[in-house]
Amino acid sequence: MSFTKRINALQPSATMAVMEAATRLHEQGVDIISFGAGEPDFDTPDYIISGAKKALAEGHTRYTAASGTKSLKQSIVDKLKRENGLDYQTNQIVVSNGGKHSLFNIMMTLFDEGDEVIILSPYWVTYPEVVKLSGADQVYVETSEKDGFQISREQLLQKVSKKTKGIIVNTPSNPSGGVLNRESLKAIVDVATGNDLWLISDECYEALVYDGEHLSLAGFEGAYEKTVTVQTMSKVYAMTGWRIGYTASTAELASAMGKFQGQATGCPNSIAQFASEVALREDHAELSNWRTQFIERRNYMVQSLNEMPGVKCLLPEGAFYVFPKISGLFGKKVGDVEIKNDMDLTKYLLDEAHITVVPGAAFGAPEHVRLSYATSMDAIKTGLRRFADAVAKLN
Ligand code: GLU
């Protein structure tokens, strides 16, 4: 059977694959502990569930406007003002079926074949692939652990060419948990404004910053007109399965993306839109408890990982991932098994310790693996004990 060049070139999502593998093993009765899933283990708060039930009871079960209901857009506008200090109107908002869908809308609307889009590495697995689907080329700018994954003007300028059309920015970062500071964000804005580039600012972990502060790129001087802010209900409200994401941009770009979405998918799910509106309007009382738990889990994980010989882990400032450097284990062996790279370690941890992690190569950082701490403290303690035991067997 033959498929398009487009689909043949597309890489499967490593994060989704790891999550699916963990579910499959769990269904087969394997006592698996998953550090793969980038989704909160908390339940969607009751007040949001009630909002969905009310929407159903009131019959909000039909198509909505393709780019989202006016009332949800208004609650997004209010949220962006209240929490991010950004001024938007409802005609600048597009509501989509999750942040990933928002990214797809952006790439399909802004980039063409022959264009280049800069991606800061390490990067979330989906960025290169959505850029690829638009026909544009991906250009990577490496950030390094020793600089806390910050970025300078010079690093970016080395990769800007006449073909460059945009930069994808993700702070707090999936997978590193790094939070870009004011200086890095200013450098990005300077390069973008100086070269007429679009800024795609994925801020989906914005409320999960534990050290430092989250700054919205669109709030920087000169950035507003060129920035598309991407947000999701998934992480901060524990609504991964509801599939609601949104963008804030210029009205012109929002209208173009709305046109695309109107042909690609009638509209986002009506019930989930009503529930999201309730989520954004009412007090998210659970968030501070969740943050406290995430901080405890993060600290425990970083300490435990750093106690393992050959493993080094920075304290991430945000999101819910740790991204240890595991290259110190390369070359080690047990029986027939040799750990030559991140993939070997991932497989060894699955076979030997029954834990899932995501190999760093999927994020452009093959000396690392990613572990999510959006899972219970009990699971974290057991899983890391198994990780440590497996590492101790290597010589
Ligand atoms: N964003 C999460 C992750 O990186 C969920 C999976 C996905 O959408 O890639 O694990």
Side-chain angles (χ1 to χ4, degrees), residues 13 15-16 19 36 38 100 124 174 205 235 321 370:
S13 163
T15 47
M16 300 307 287
M19 277 198 268
K100 222 177 247 185
W124 178 42
N174 174 4
Y205 297 93
K235 315 291 177 177
Y321 306 105
R370 190 193 79 174

Side-chain angles (χ1 to χ4, degrees), residues 13-17 19 35-39 100 124-126 174-175 202 204-205 234-235 240 243 320-321 358 363 370 372:
S13 163
T15 47
M16 300 307 287
M19 277 198 268
F35 292 114
E39 67 174 339
K100 222 177 247 185
W124 178 42
V125 295
T126 291
N174 174 4
D202 180 350
C204 72
Y205 297 93
S234 292
K235 315 291 177 177
T240 47
R243 308 313 302 137
F320 39 58
Y321 306 105
V358 188
F363 308 99
R370 190 193 79 174
S372 157

Side-chain angles (χ1 to χ4, degrees), residues 18-29:
V18 169
M19 277 198 268
E20 281 159 25
T23 307
R24 215 170 29 247
L25 288 163
H26 182 73
E27 282 166 2
Q28 287 164 12

